[in-house]
Amino acid sequence: MKVMLVDDEPIVIEHIKGLIPWEACGYEMIATATNGKSALRICEEKRPEIVIVDIRMPVMDGVQLIRAVSEKQLGILFIVLSAYEDFSVARQVISLGGVSSYLIKHEIDSHKLLQELNKAKATWELEKKQQRMMQNDMIKDLVTGIELKPSSNIDGMKPPFGLALIQKDAPFSTDHLTNVHTEPAHAAKWIMEITKHCAANEHWKLLGEFQTHGAQIVLLFAQRNKAACVLHSELQTLLQSAQQHLFGEFNRTFSVFYTYGGHDPTSLPASFQQVVEAARHTIFCGREALLCVNGLPLSVESTPPAARHIRFDALHESLEQQDVAMMEKAVKELFSRIRKPKWDLRGLYDTIGGLTNVIQEPAAQFGRMDTDIFDVKLYDPVYQMDELIERFIQHLRERLTSMNEIGPLSGKMQRALRYIHEHYHEEISIDDVSYAIGISPSYLHQLFKKEMDRTFLDYVTEHRIQQAKRILRQEDAKITDVAARIGYRSPQHFTQVFKKVTGLLPHQYREAGSRL
């Protein structure tokens, strides 16, 4: 912490300078002065945090210096010195504000000086923290569009601006349209590291930062040197450095999306929406992205999802002909259409839904359970488009292999499985299913043993637990609700069955997935 000493007696200055080992105690004596006028100039140039000042000095005394610094809002705390126990002067000085303590010169020793310095330091840091929090709140309101004009209390709010969004990379899942990966507790630590890392950059000043509804951090910068032509490359270098710093501190990868060059504060909400939208498209750019959103091929949603129609004719034909090469080409063409000329996120999810149906439709015919191809407990996590394409191709290859190796189930068994899939959330029994498809319970029991190599109850249980795993991964539902939604009246019974099938309690399964 930077300290300046002001006294018209050089002997007093030397005495106080020698009382404590300044650097060892966490302080830096940056300057001394013998009058208030020269001290004011130094305060403006070097910005000390604490000034130890004598009251009675020539040219400009201590009271005048404190008043001038207060008017200029330099954010300095004063420790006032006096040779006399003049309490009327003490009251006058303290009433000015910005004064931490009033000391009598002949009473000062090393212990007293260090005590008052630490007291001033704690007060200064608390005030700065409170000011930073207030500024961050004002910046959040401005950037998100709650306030349309910047407050005059936002320090350094001068264009041009840079706006960045940083988020932890998370595996792709089909619920990303509505569910943002959240880690609010961790995000507070990430913010602390980012602000420390960006504070001393010579080109861009970090005006403030805030956390969004998830593990996303938004940073607002202003260009420091208005005379220099600082291009976006300096901002990119700073953000890349922060990205690497976060990885080094937390051993996790982060992606960064930013804009730069804005001159109108009222345009910040539009820039904010740009970086938020870009962050939703991470599957198109992969992990550890560092991208300026101004040039990204983001699409504007104009067609309602219900009006979209994606054709899978070539894929169906390849499966009918059992042609692997033709199937791979069809899948790649489907994804190519949603990457160019624009990134089509809605089209991506529609394509994924259609491909998933193609994969799952024949599952019942071969006695296979539906699986979530993005289940990180079963498969490697997917972070980018090429990995996503390969995941679908892999599962379609497996379906072709299954079609060749295993004969389809009988029509009766297919109808039984279809009924289970439609009514698993109800209290169904083998009697209910056999009645629905028109055969006896004993015959259906034999069909399960013969064609499925498992009992009716085993199959229903497996299907219910599969659905429970999907809910636990994608939603923050209570265990009681999960149990009810998959057909268990008793949450305790559901918990016991889940543990028997998976080896984990439901909350352990959810926590294990959230750490991936």
Side-chain angles (χ1 to χ4, degrees):
M1 178 161 277
K2 295 184 292 185
V3 180
M4 183 169 72
L5 180 56
V6 187
D7 198 295
D8 63 333
E9 299 182 45
I11 190 170
V12 174
I13 290 177
E14 293 304 315
H15 172 68
I16 293 178
K17 284 174 66 177
L19 281 178
I20 62 172
W22 293 85
E23 290 188 8
C25 294
Y27 299 95
E28 178 189 3
M29 180 66 70
I30 62 167
T32 61
T34 57
N35 63 73
K37 185 176 181 180
S38 59
L40 179 60
R41 175 179 52 80
I42 295 172
C43 285
E44 291 176 315
E45 292 177 357
K46 297 190 175 183
R47 295 297 179 98
E49 285 91 20
I50 299 174
V51 172
I52 304 172
V53 61
D54 187 15
I55 283 292
R56 303 185 187 279
M57 294 182 297
V59 184
M60 177 188 283
D61 63 23
V63 173
Q64 293 171 319
L65 173 62
I66 294 170
R67 185 178 289 114
V69 167
S70 177
E71 290 174 354
K72 292 179 180 293
Q73 298 182 341
L74 299 182
I76 296 172
L77 270 183
F78 288 88
I79 297 175
V80 177
L81 302 179
S82 177
Y84 310 99
E85 295 185 15
D86 190 338
F87 294 107
S88 62
V89 174
R91 286 194 296 270
Q92 177 190 1
V93 170
I94 292 173
S95 69
L96 296 175
V99 176
S100 175
S101 55
Y102 183 92
L103 302 179
I104 308 304
K105 287 184 180 180
H106 67 266
E107 295 179 353
I108 299 175
D109 57 18
S110 58
H111 174 74
K112 183 67 174 177
L113 177 61
L114 186 58
Q115 182 181 44
E116 295 304 326
L117 282 168
N118 289 340
K119 175 185 172 183
K121 178 182 179 181
T123 301
W124 186 90
E125 289 177 342
L126 178 60
E127 289 179 356
K128 286 298 179 182
K129 182 178 180 180
Q130 292 172 340
Q131 291 171 6
R132 186 72 179 186
M133 291 174 63
M134 291 177 61
Q135 174 148 320
N136 285 343
D137 287 342
M138 290 186 288
I139 286 174
K140 182 176 182 179
D141 289 346
L142 177 63
V143 169
T144 58
I146 295 176
E147 290 289 339
L148 298 180
K149 294 183 179 180
S151 168
S152 59
N153 294 324
I154 299 180
D155 181 40
M157 194 67 193
K158 296 179 180 179
F161 303 111
L163 186 72
L165 183 149
I166 302 178
Q167 69 177 11
K168 185 186 82 70
D169 292 322
F172 178 82
S173 69
T174 52
D175 63 319
H176 274 198
L177 277 179
T178 56
N179 183 30
V180 177
H181 189 73
T182 58
E183 285 187 79
H186 292 90
K189 297 178 182 178
W190 302 340
I191 289 176
M192 187 181 302
E193 287 299 325
I194 292 171
T195 52
K196 286 192 300 183
H197 188 76
C198 296
N201 186 263
E202 62 178 317
H203 297 296
W204 290 92
K205 177 182 179 181
L206 179 60
L207 299 182
E209 66 287 327
F210 61 89
Q211 180 183 337
T212 65
H213 56 284
Q216 295 178 323
I217 301 164
V218 179
L219 311 172
L220 179 63
F221 296 91
Q223 188 175 313
R224 285 187 186 274
N225 188 350
K226 303 302 183 295
C229 181
V230 180
L231 301 178
H232 100 277
S233 58
E234 280 78 12
L235 180 59
Q236 184 182 51
T237 300
L238 172 60
L239 294 172
Q240 184 178 41
S241 176
Q243 186 183 44
Q244 294 169 349
H245 179 73
L246 286 174
F247 177 78
E249 289 293 320
F250 301 103
N251 195 30
R252 290 186 171 188
T253 62
F254 293 78
S255 288
V256 183
F257 303 92
Y258 68 95
T259 65
Y260 77 97
H263 287 76
D264 185 357
T266 61
S267 69
L268 289 173
S271 296
F272 174 67
Q273 292 302 321
Q274 277 186 297
V275 295
V276 169
E277 187 64 21
R280 295 174 65 232
H281 288 72
T282 52
I283 187 66
F284 288 89
C285 49
R287 305 172 76 176
E288 296 185 270
L290 178 60
L291 298 173
C292 177
V293 303
N294 302 74
L296 293 184
L298 298 174
S299 61
V300 178
E301 188 71 41
S302 59
T303 305
R308 295 174 182 267
H309 181 66
I310 300 174
R311 300 187 65 87
F312 296 88
D313 298 352
L315 179 61
H316 285 299
E317 184 180 351
S318 70
L319 295 176
E320 290 174 4
Q321 297 181 16
Q322 300 187 21
D323 188 327
V324 175
M326 184 178 178
M327 176 272 292
E328 293 181 0
K329 180 181 178 182
V331 172
K332 291 176 181 178
E333 286 181 351
L334 284 169
F335 283 97
S336 177
R337 296 169 192 164
I338 57 179
R339 286 205 275 194
K340 296 179 181 180
K342 297 287 186 179
W343 289 351
D344 184 359
L345 189 62
R346 181 68 261 175
L348 170 67
Y349 279 86
D350 289 344
T351 300
I352 288 174
L355 285 172
T356 301
N357 288 335
V358 171
I359 291 173
Q360 303 291 10
E361 278 173 357
Q365 300 177 17
F366 302 97
R368 295 181 178 273
M369 298 292 297
D370 290 350
T371 58
D372 182 354
I373 69 171
F374 302 111
D375 187 343
V376 292
K377 295 179 178 63
L378 299 176
Y379 311 103
D380 291 335
V382 169
Y383 289 94
Q384 61 184 4
M385 189 69 72
D386 290 341
E387 295 171 345
L388 182 64
I389 294 170
E390 184 55 37
R391 178 63 52 82
F392 277 108
I393 288 175
Q394 171 192 343
H395 278 265
L396 287 166
R397 285 198 201 104
E398 292 175 0
R399 286 292 179 254
L400 285 172
T401 302
S402 300
M403 291 169 68
N404 290 329
E405 293 179 352
I406 307 173
L409 301 177
S410 64
K412 293 183 177 63
M413 180 54 70
Q414 290 184 42
R415 292 199 301 274
L417 296 182
R418 189 176 300 113
Y419 184 92
I420 292 171
H421 294 172
E422 293 174 354
H423 298 273
Y424 69 90
H425 54 283
E426 304 170 7
E427 292 187 45
I428 57 173
S429 65
I430 195 168
D431 292 335
D432 298 322
V433 179
S434 61
Y435 178 80
I437 65 174
I439 62 175
S440 68
S442 60
Y443 183 37
L444 181 57
H445 178 74
Q446 293 174 13
L447 286 178
F448 264 96
K449 293 296 292 181
K450 177 182 177 181
E451 299 189 31
M452 303 293 293
D453 195 27
R454 68 194 75 177
T455 67
F456 167 83
L457 182 59
D458 287 341
Y459 185 86
V460 173
T461 299
E462 290 174 12
H463 187 73
R464 283 173 168 169
I465 297 304
Q466 192 73 16
Q467 300 306 314
K469 288 164 67 176
R470 177 184 56 79
I471 296 171
L472 290 169
R473 283 194 308 272
Q474 299 181 0
E475 303 178 28
D476 191 26
K478 296 179 180 179
I479 302 303
T480 303
D481 295 334
V482 177
R485 286 169 61 179
I486 65 168
Y488 286 94
R489 297 179 62 183
S490 166
Q492 293 78 16
H493 183 212
F494 160 66
T495 299
Q496 293 171 357
V497 174
F498 192 93
K499 175 70 179 296
K500 182 178 179 181
V501 174
T502 67
L504 296 171
L505 294 172
H507 74 276
Q508 293 173 330
Y509 179 88
R510 171 180 281 156
E511 290 169 359
S514 68
R515 291 194 293 269
L516 295 171

